[in-house]
Amino acid sequence: MPVARTRSVALLGLAGSIVEVEADLSSQLPGISIIGLPDAALAEARERVRSAATNAGCPLPQRKLTVNLSPAALPKHGSGFDLAIAIACLAAAGEVSVESVDRVVHLGELGLDGRLRPIDGILPAVLAASRAGHDTVMVPSANAAEAALVPGVEVIGVASLLEAAIRHGGEYEERPVEPVPASMRADDGEYAPGDLADVAGNDDAVDALLTAAAGGHHVYFLGPPGAGKTMLASRLPGILPDLAPDAALEVSSIRSLAGRSVGDALSVRPPFEAPHHTATAAAIVGGGSRLIRPGAASRASHGVLFLDEAPEFPSAVLDVLRQPLESGTISIHRANSVASFPARFQLVVAANPCPCGNHGLTSLDCTCTPIMRRRYLGRISGPLLDRIDLQIWVPRITAAGLRLAAERPGLSSAEARARVVAARDIARDRLTGTPWRTNAEMPGPWMRGPGRLHPGGRASAAADRALELGGITMRGYDRVLKTAWTLADLEGATVPTREHVGHALFMRKGFDL
């Protein structure tokens, strides 16, 4: 028989490469040899494939089978190549149609009983196959709904290797098989934020949250325990607009790669990630010795990354976010590969003013010395703070403030989202013809130069003075102007005024401890 070929997909980060799976049958001692830089899990496919084929009712011939994964220099990881290897071997033996298997991309792991088990990363793998020009994929039944989210691709869901062989023209007797169900995890559910109207008082903090949502700005809440910092941060996803189709597909691809459930439809709501302060740098940005997984920063892409009790995070962990905040991507380097993940998230940082949390309160005494307070807040480095647009003091609400809040209901999430969507529409129209959609994404040099978006004159006098006196850096100066544009968009103004720039400067330097 000639060499039989089919195809599968090797994932490196979110990027997928088509792998040609070739099988050759020779008259030597029985065995299966897999070449082409497989990892340990893939090398074990020799035993899985032969046992699965025998138990499924479509045994492989008792001859030598050589399987080549091309390109040979590309690292291949995991068990998702099992189905492609088994089908290529059956085609080389003449049991199924060589032409049929050559037209289909195969993805799936085999169990010893011949059933197909679902794999992680099926959505980015099918998306990579579609972008490479392939329009038909065969996947495990449990992954079929997820694979069908990619438009323009015919998805064939099969429960077992026997069913796959019959679909490719194999003359076998059909056997009823119970499909392997998709496994559900505790964190598979979509985040459901509370309503912004639940926040009592703290008008400045709510205003900052609305500004952050409208312009895509990062925000830092500082205040004593019980002031409502966590409540404010958890409301941010609820006032963000729905995701665009390409962003929703990217978010779902990251969820799939991370082993989380995607469901039967793309989620259009922004994700929310809140890692514990014991998280490592690898847990934040992603990593892994062989199969590189996305971290919390990538899973929060197009959504919110919330770091509660930020000074409790190790400084080295916080500082790994500095580069993603600028570039919007995370690149993880290994000896033989580089994996890239999107990381265009909104960062929300919350912290107490000191270890005891009582600094700045008139009713309670702070037991921390000035050097303890400086050391505590100093764990959030200056370069990281310089990348955060809004820095807001959140005080505790008083009894009088609580009564006033009850008499005057606050802004609901639905009302806030409507204002955010309107402001983002204004910014998007202004940025038509550029790769940016929000004010926070605008590069400073472009804004001050070709974009002609510098307010100039008296409007930017306060920011100019702060820059001249060293109160803000050049990066901070640009971020103040971007925030001023967001404030103008929220009010429907055509250009930022002196009041907008002053308000933006206040929200950037809203406290001084």
Side-chain angles (χ1 to χ4, degrees):
M1 287 294 296
V3 173
R5 294 180 177 87
T6 188
R7 287 160 186 82
S8 191
V9 177
L11 287 175
L12 185 58
L14 275 190
S17 300
I18 295 295
V19 174
E20 192 173 77
V21 181
E22 302 173 307
D24 176 67
L25 188 65
S26 60
S27 56
Q28 300 179 25
L29 291 177
I32 299 178
S33 177
I34 299 177
I35 58 177
L37 208 59
D39 69 347
L42 182 49
E44 292 170 352
R46 296 189 304 266
E47 309 304 327
R48 285 196 301 271
V49 166
R50 187 171 289 280
S51 297
T54 301
N55 294 327
C58 49
L60 300 178
Q62 293 299 313
R63 295 165 65 184
K64 175 69 172 180
L65 282 162
T66 302
V67 178
N68 180 44
L69 308 177
S70 180
L74 179 70
K76 292 95 180 171
H77 305 286
S79 56
F81 295 87
D82 288 3
L83 178 59
I85 292 173
I87 289 296
C89 290
L90 289 173
E95 300 293 339
V96 298
S97 171
V98 174
E99 293 77 13
S100 177
V101 302
D102 190 39
R103 293 193 299 266
V104 179
V105 177
H106 296 85
L107 302 164
E109 175 187 337
L110 286 171
L112 295 183
D113 57 358
R115 293 190 300 171
L116 279 170
R117 299 180 179 276
I119 60 174
D120 296 336
I122 201 74
L123 183 57
V126 175
L127 188 60
S130 175
R131 289 171 176 170
H134 300 278
D135 58 5
T136 307
V137 296
M138 184 175 286
V139 300
S141 298
N143 289 136
E146 180 181 329
L149 297 177
V150 179
V153 176
E154 179 187 356
V155 177
I156 303 172
V158 292
S160 67
L161 176 59
L162 178 63
E163 183 180 347
I166 292 174
R167 282 181 175 268
H168 283 303
E171 297 180 357
Y172 300 103
E173 182 181 350
E174 294 188 19
R175 297 181 183 178
V177 173
E178 182 71 23
V180 178
S183 59
M184 294 295 292
R185 302 186 182 184
D187 58 355
D188 276 353
E190 186 174 308
Y191 176 74
D195 198 284
L196 187 61
D198 297 337
V199 180
N202 282 328
D203 291 342
D204 287 343
V206 172
D207 182 42
L209 199 70
L210 189 66
T211 305
H217 304 287
H218 309 302
V219 61
Y220 175 27
F221 290 129
L222 182 69
K229 304 183 295 296
T230 302
M231 175 181 283
L232 284 162
S234 65
R235 266 59 180 174
L236 180 55
I239 65 176
L240 291 175
D242 287 343
L243 299 175
D246 56 342
L249 186 59
E250 187 173 84
V251 168
S252 295
S253 296
I254 296 172
R255 285 185 60 89
S256 176
L257 196 61
R260 297 184 176 183
S261 175
V262 173
D264 298 340
L266 294 177
S267 174
V268 297
R269 294 306 303 147
F272 180 79
E273 290 288 331
H276 192 261
H277 59 77
T278 55
T280 63
I284 297 296
V285 300
S289 58
R290 291 183 177 86
L291 184 60
I292 302 176
R293 295 284 191 179
S298 296
R299 297 195 301 271
S301 192
H302 301 290
V304 177
L305 177 63
F306 176 44
L307 303 182
D308 200 7
E309 304 294 346
E312 301 297 336
F313 284 80
S315 297
V317 172
L318 293 175
D319 284 339
V320 300
L321 294 173
R322 286 156 54 176
Q323 184 264 344
L325 287 177
E326 292 290 334
S327 66
T329 60
I330 290 175
S331 296
I332 300 173
H333 293 249
R334 293 293 180 264
N336 59 353
S337 60
V338 178
S340 295
F341 297 101
R344 195 165 295 281
F345 54 85
Q346 281 187 250
L347 179 65
V348 180
V349 174
N352 295 327
C354 64
C356 76
N358 295 331
H359 181 67
L361 298 178
T362 56
S363 57
L364 296 173
D365 293 331
C366 176
T367 60
C368 306
T369 62
I371 192 171
M372 289 172 63
R373 292 196 296 269
R374 286 196 298 271
R375 186 181 296 118
Y376 181 73
L377 292 179
R379 296 175 187 171
I380 308 175
S381 66
L384 179 60
L385 280 178
D386 198 38
R387 290 167 167 82
I388 300 179
D389 306 27
L390 314 177
Q391 303 174 20
I392 305 298
W393 172 260
V394 184
R396 284 180 179 171
I397 189 170
T398 62
L402 190 60
R403 288 193 296 270
L404 184 62
E407 297 171 0
R408 186 186 61 188
L411 192 67
S412 69
S413 290
E415 296 168 335
R417 191 191 302 177
R419 292 187 59 187
V420 167
V421 169
R424 288 207 176 193
D425 287 342
I426 295 173
R428 185 171 55 253
D429 292 341
R430 183 171 60 247
L431 296 172
T432 300
T434 72
W436 311 295
R437 294 295 176 266
T438 62
N439 293 322
E441 295 175 357
M442 295 187 297
W446 179 87
M447 177 182 62
R448 290 179 272 105
R452 300 180 182 273
L453 295 180
H454 192 293
R458 295 181 59 188
S460 61
D464 295 339
R465 191 179 309 110
L467 178 64
E468 184 70 24
L469 297 176
I472 56 176
T473 63
M474 191 65 228
R475 180 191 287 116
Y477 179 83
D478 287 339
R479 291 180 180 270
V480 166
L481 297 184
K482 295 176 191 178
T483 304
W485 271 107
T486 300
L487 293 170
D489 293 340
L490 282 169
E491 295 183 4
T494 55
V495 293
T497 63
R498 184 177 180 180
E499 288 73 22
H500 293 140
V501 176
H503 192 189
L505 189 61
F506 166 75
M507 285 198 290
R508 181 167 180 85
K509 306 293 289 184
F511 53 80
D512 186 16
L513 291 179

